[in-house]
Amino acid sequence: MLTKPRLEPKSEDGFTLVELLATMVAGIVVLMALLTIMDVTLQNTTHAFSQVDATQRARPAFTGIENELHSACFADEETPIQTGSSPTALIFLSSTGTAATPTELWHEIDFNGAPTNTLVDNTYSTTQTTNSNGVPVWNRGSLQSSRTLLTNVAQSRPSASQPLTPVFQYFAYQTAPGTDAAGNQYEILPDGTAPVPGTSTTVFNPLAPGAALNGTQAATVAEVMINLSVGPAGGYNEKTNYSDVGTAVSDSITFRFTPAANHVGDGATFSPCE
Amino acid sequence: MSALITTLIATAVAGALITNTDIIANQNSRSQAEALAEQDQERLKGLSAEQLDNLGQTYTAKAGSTSYTITSKAWYLSTSNGQSCSSSGGASATYFKTISTVTHTNATGGVQTLATDESVISPDAGGSLLVQFHDQTASPLAGASLSASGPESDAGTSDANGCVIFSGLDSGTYALTYTDIGYVDPNGNSSPLSDTATVASTGITAPGKGNPIELGQAGGLTGKLVQTVGSPSPNTAYASGLSWFSSGGAGIPMAAYRSHSVTPVASSIATTNVAGSTGTGGTGLFPFVSSQNPVTYTNNYQVWAGTCRSEQPPTGYDMVTVAPGSTQTPSIQTPTMLLTVKKSNGSITAPTDVKVSFTDGTCTDTWALTPSSNGTQVATTSTYYFGVPFAASTTTGSGASASGQTGTLTVCADLKSGSNYFKATSAAFTSSFTATTPLTVSLPSSTVTSGC
């Protein structure tokens, strides 16, 4: 009679319950740490992406405005910035087009605050007259187009404790602290972005802060500074818990063809479009 | 094992995420930096020509929570897009070149350049004035001041290329002043120096003296005259002053010899500076280089007694080294004269006062010799030794011979201390550094009323 060989019992070595529990706990700790890192990293990535998105949206719009403003000096004794320009409305003339003879256009770039949060370029035709001195004057005509340059924009703020920065600020040449080697006092555009060369003073003194420019002020504007906080295309809270997503964009446009005079009495003047 | 694998995977994933975030953050920084660079370029358009000329400015700006360092540079460009005023020479000032560079310093102190933007700006219409300063090595001299006064006024300081450029000037004639305290021009004229320039309505103008304007830190010397031969004691010598000349260096010539007169003159010709000072006043000596590489100043000047160029002794004698800011006290050789004065009757006499004059036709030098007090008497005779300038003919140093240069001198002798001079032309006199030279003078019978 054949007898079935007796099977030897298999090894009973393995994880004990304690080992299993310890491994699970360690794995959970590692996974929790990983998840935390992922969460923080993803938030930061989203934040950075949002800022890049905002910057990439802002730059073309700002470049477009700069190009229009750089075309604002097109006639002798014409002043680029127009009366009524304010912290939320930039009114100026520009001469652009593809034809051999560019067309003079009247622009009004309006910042619309909450809840609209847009920057809109309204373009008007112009009518030309002559003032009492025989100098051509361009007037606002009919609305030609209205184009939204940016959405999800707001006024920027240097810091939480400081007030909102006006969207449009205007600067005319003024004397600044410091003199050159001949003792002549410096003239500068006081936009406060950098120390005046030759001095260590940063001067910030915009025209008519918080108000609209009158005719005299508008005629002296030689620099416009634009300050905005531009959010990503999806809005300020796009896929992130951060509430401050958006990039503060500040650009200045100077209406000069040649360097200004070194000081009063030199050949070049301190007017715009010189 | 499984825990280890889990940890490795987690580390890799975390590393990848962090790297990804860094890349995105870097892109964001570059975007912000580019905006700041553009804004700085726009700012530079609002500056004046004076502020733009050789602008080198650094400031910080914040974008978001990040601080950036912005460096603004601007300078004049020539028509060939080189520096308008470079070390190789001046050129027309056609445009301003402007460059804005934005950098960020990371947590480890590393500086990363994130954006650079550049453009050109046309200068004002009008004339320009370009002055380039060089030092004694024909290298650019920075820190020299230029002021221009005329239809308008302007002032500036030379840059690393030694240049000052004024643009947008009204046309007309400008008075120029070059100032660099303690510096002199190659002919020894002390700063401040004057010049003029006629600026046209367009184009660039050089100063009246032409570019470059050479200035060197002045050196000085105090000369002491000594007799070369003979054994009189004290070893005294007499001259009306000192002269000096350099053949120049580094392509910079000395236009004309210079001299310094002193009265009275004696062996130590002056206790204060004779030929220059390193301070704000007085006459200085331009430190001509003897060799360029390395720069040396050895024996760059020749100094001699007397105030005429034609009293210059042979080349190589009494060479002096004048380095920037140095002071020298050289001993300057003089030939030894053995003076004998005879009355009209042929007897030898000892005058109370003798004036010996030398002329080459354009320059006359007179030195006073007082036998009783300053001469060195030969034994009990009426003959005296004097150290005198190397003067006997119109031949200047380059053609002279140390062993002798023969010519004539004019002698005025007062025999009675009454300023009643007898005037005579000497016998042949040979100036020499190698032998005592006798000079015998036979006086006429009557005095003169002029010429002495």
Side-chain angles (χ1 to χ4, degrees):
Chain A
M1 179 181 168
L2 294 172
T3 59
K4 221 175 173 179
R6 184 168 177 264
L7 294 173
E8 291 294 324
K10 290 182 178 175
S11 171
E12 292 182 354
D13 289 348
F15 291 111
T16 65
L17 180 60
V18 173
E19 288 172 334
L20 187 61
L21 286 174
T23 303
M24 287 178 64
V25 168
I28 288 170
V29 168
V30 170
L31 285 173
M32 288 291 288
L34 179 60
L35 285 173
T36 303
I37 291 172
M38 286 184 67
D39 182 51
V40 171
T41 304
L42 283 173
Q43 284 194 37
N44 285 337
T45 302
T46 305
H47 184 252
F49 262 126
S50 299
Q51 286 199 314
V52 171
D53 181 27
T55 303
Q56 288 178 339
R57 277 170 18 84
R59 295 313 315 169
F62 271 67
T63 301
I65 297 172
E66 288 173 15
N67 289 340
E68 288 177 346
L69 287 169
H70 279 151
S71 303
C73 299
F74 59 84
D76 190 28
E77 298 190 44
E78 168 256 340
T79 55
I81 301 300
Q82 303 302 307
T83 305
S85 291
S86 70
T88 57
L90 171 61
I91 306 170
F92 64 98
L93 284 164
S94 74
S95 181
T96 56
T98 56
T101 304
T103 305
E104 292 84 21
L105 294 174
W106 183 286
H107 288 272
E108 179 171 332
I109 297 179
D110 292 319
F111 167 72
N112 302 303
T116 311
N117 293 330
T118 57
L119 194 67
V120 178
D121 183 3
N122 298 303
T123 306
Y124 300 82
S125 62
T126 57
T127 57
Q128 184 180 332
T129 57
T130 305
N131 68 12
S132 57
N133 295 323
V135 177
V137 175
W138 286 264
N139 305 294
R140 187 197 298 245
S142 59
L143 181 66
Q144 301 292 301
S145 66
S146 183
R147 186 164 58 99
T148 300
L149 300 175
L150 282 170
T151 57
N152 297 328
V153 292
Q155 284 183 267
S156 60
R157 190 192 297 272
S159 67
S161 60
Q162 292 180 282
L164 292 167
T165 305
V167 177
F168 303 113
Q169 291 171 308
Y170 309 91
F171 301 91
Y173 278 97
Q174 71 172 48
T175 57
T179 57
D180 65 11
N184 304 297
Q185 194 154 25
Y186 279 119
E187 291 270 345
I188 59 149
L189 287 169
D191 65 7
T193 55
V196 180
T199 78
S200 58
T201 304
T202 300
V203 184
F204 181 74
N205 188 23
L207 288 167
L213 301 178
N214 60 33
T216 302
Q217 291 167 331
T220 62
V221 174
E223 181 188 11
V224 173
M225 182 174 282
I226 307 173
N227 309 285
L228 275 176
S229 177
V230 182
Y236 275 84
N237 298 309
E238 182 187 57
K239 299 176 184 175
T240 176
N241 293 327
Y242 290 99
S243 59
D244 62 344
V245 169
T247 187
V249 182
S250 179
D251 257 5
S252 59
I253 295 88
T254 304
F255 303 111
R256 292 290 307 188
F257 291 125
T258 64
N262 293 327
H263 45 75
V264 175
D266 275 3
T269 71
F270 297 100
S271 302
C273 300
E274 294 286 343
Chain B
M1 178 60 74
S2 60
L4 179 61
I5 293 172
T6 303
T7 303
L8 287 174
I9 293 173
T11 304
V13 171
L17 288 170
I18 292 170
T19 301
N20 183 51
T21 303
D22 284 346
I23 292 171
I24 299 295
N26 186 260
Q27 287 180 339
N28 190 37
S29 295
R30 288 185 182 279
S31 181
Q32 290 175 330
E34 182 59 39
L36 289 172
E38 284 182 21
Q39 188 169 336
D40 188 63
Q41 283 287 297
E42 199 68 24
R43 179 183 74 90
L44 297 180
K45 291 179 183 176
L47 299 185
S48 71
E50 182 179 294
Q51 290 167 324
L52 285 173
D53 187 14
N54 292 304
L55 178 73
Q57 188 180 23
T58 300
Y59 62 97
T60 57
K62 287 192 81 170
S65 57
T66 309
S67 287
Y68 297 92
T69 300
I70 302 165
T71 303
S72 312
K73 291 185 176 179
W75 62 87
Y76 275 107
L77 279 180
S78 70
T79 50
S80 58
N81 290 334
Q83 284 239 354
S84 264
C85 190
S86 65
S87 56
S88 58
S92 59
T94 308
Y95 302 104
F96 282 108
K97 174 85 169 183
T98 61
I99 294 182
S100 303
T101 305
V102 181
T103 58
H104 172 64
T105 304
N106 59 31
T108 60
V111 177
Q112 184 181 17
T113 300
L114 297 171
T116 300
D117 215 347
E118 58 185 68
S119 62
V120 294
I121 300 173
S122 298
D124 309 332
S128 298
L129 172 67
L130 188 155
V131 175
Q132 186 175 33
F133 293 95
H134 273 183
D135 66 10
Q136 67 275 8
T137 65
S139 301
L141 176 66
S145 298
L146 166 68
S147 65
S149 177
E152 58 182 289
S153 298
D154 218 333
T157 303
S158 62
D159 61 12
N161 293 314
C163 289
V164 182
I165 303 176
F166 299 150
S167 66
L169 294 175
D170 294 340
S171 60
T173 300
Y174 288 79
L176 308 182
T177 302
Y178 313 129
T179 305
D180 204 345
I181 301 301
Y183 282 65
V184 294
D185 72 6
N187 220 33
N189 299 305
S190 297
S191 160
L193 299 160
S194 299
D195 198 0
T196 59
T198 303
V199 176
S201 57
T202 59
I204 196 150
T205 301
K209 292 179 180 175
N211 280 322
I213 301 297
E214 288 131 348
L215 295 175
Q217 187 184 3
L221 66 85
T222 299
K224 178 182 180 182
L225 301 182
V226 296
Q227 287 172 266
T228 307
V229 294
S231 56
S233 180
N235 193 1
T236 52
Y238 296 85
S240 58
L242 274 184
S243 296
W244 57 94
F245 183 71
S246 174
S247 55
I252 303 171
M254 184 174 178
Y257 85 106
R258 296 295 296 268
S259 64
H260 179 85
S261 298
V262 285
T263 303
V265 290
S267 57
S268 180
I269 199 161
T271 54
T272 57
N273 70 296
V274 168
S277 74
T278 56
T280 57
T283 305
L285 291 165
F286 186 87
F288 292 101
V289 298
S290 303
S291 63
Q292 277 278 42
N293 190 19
V295 173
T296 63
Y297 302 92
T298 307
N299 295 334
N300 53 355
Y301 274 90
Q302 187 177 30
V303 186
W304 64 91
T307 56
C308 292
R309 176 71 192 272
S310 49
E311 292 173 298
Q312 182 179 5
T315 302
Y317 279 81
D318 296 323
M319 302 302 290
V320 177
T321 298
V322 178
S326 71
T327 55
Q328 300 289 325
T329 54
S331 293
I332 300 161
Q333 300 179 79
T334 60
T336 301
M337 172 191 287
L338 182 59
L339 178 64
T340 302
V341 178
K342 293 181 178 178
K343 292 181 180 179
S344 57
N345 61 12
S347 62
I348 297 174
T349 184
T352 57
D353 184 20
V354 177
K355 295 179 180 177
V356 180
S357 298
F358 162 79
T359 183
D360 58 16
T362 56
C363 178
T364 298
D365 189 22
T366 300
W367 55 93
L369 310 174
T370 308
S372 59
S373 59
N374 293 326
T376 302
Q377 189 175 16
V378 179
T380 57
T381 69
S382 296
T383 305
Y384 292 84
Y385 288 109
F386 296 95
V388 296
F390 192 93
S393 75
T394 58
T395 306
T396 58
S398 60
S401 168
S403 61
Q405 192 69 39
T406 303
T408 57
L409 298 168
T410 298
V411 177
C412 291
D414 182 4
L415 304 182
K416 300 176 182 176
S417 294
S419 297
N420 296 313
Y421 286 99
F422 295 86
K423 182 178 180 182
T425 300
S426 74
F429 174 73
T430 300
S431 285
S432 173
F433 287 142
T434 58
T436 298
T437 305
L439 179 70
T440 301
V441 180
S442 296
L443 300 177
S445 58
S446 58
T447 60
V448 296
T449 57
S450 63
C452 284

